[in-house]
Amino acid sequence: MLEFLRKLFGGKDLKLIIQNGAVIVDVRTVKEFQRVSADGAINIPLGDFGKNIDKMRQMKKPIITCCASGMRSDAAKRQLESYRIEAYNGGSWQSISRKLQ
């Protein structure tokens, strides 16, 4: 049912986007990230985003952002989109981890 609603309302299949090579960027603090994170995620804290835009642009891949709850990752997604970088809000790092299974 959830998949049907996602397709009906235009939601993206993040699992497929990940399988096709997207980069997972965890925007939590370094301490939060060091405690636990989604497999394969890289850590670029939201506070450091501005100075890392070129690095993320050079990846030339879609970026899926994640954090603890989805709030910071949404802000990060919007910031990336303002630089015309393809980005998706993955929500929490736990949500991304479930998609990787």
Side-chain angles (χ1 to χ4, degrees):
M1 177 74 167
L2 181 61
E3 189 63 30
F4 169 75
L5 291 173
R6 182 180 299 133
K7 288 180 181 179
L8 179 66
F9 293 106
K12 299 293 182 180
D13 184 349
L14 295 182
K15 184 173 185 174
L16 183 60
I17 294 168
I18 293 167
Q19 290 171 346
N20 286 327
V23 177
I24 301 168
V25 176
D26 190 320
V27 301
R28 295 176 299 152
T29 65
V30 172
K31 284 185 178 185
E32 288 175 294
F33 182 77
Q34 288 174 339
R35 278 190 291 245
V36 64
S37 63
D39 288 341
I42 63 170
N43 182 224
I44 303 176
L46 185 57
D48 295 337
F49 244 56
K51 59 186 170 189
N52 285 286
I53 292 296
D54 286 338
K55 175 182 176 180
M56 290 182 280
R57 186 177 279 139
Q58 290 170 1
M59 293 176 185
K60 297 185 191 268
K61 295 182 178 185
I63 294 176
I64 298 175
T65 58
C66 67
C67 63
S69 68
M71 297 293 289
R72 288 176 281 180
S73 59
D74 186 56
K77 177 199 82 108
R78 286 186 276 118
Q79 189 171 355
L80 289 168
E81 288 177 335
S82 75
Y83 286 95
R84 299 188 186 276
I85 297 171
E86 182 181 356
Y88 303 91
N89 179 3
S92 70
W93 68 267
Q94 296 99 327
S95 175
I96 293 294
S97 291
R98 285 190 295 274
K99 288 175 180 21
L100 293 172
Q101 296 176 354

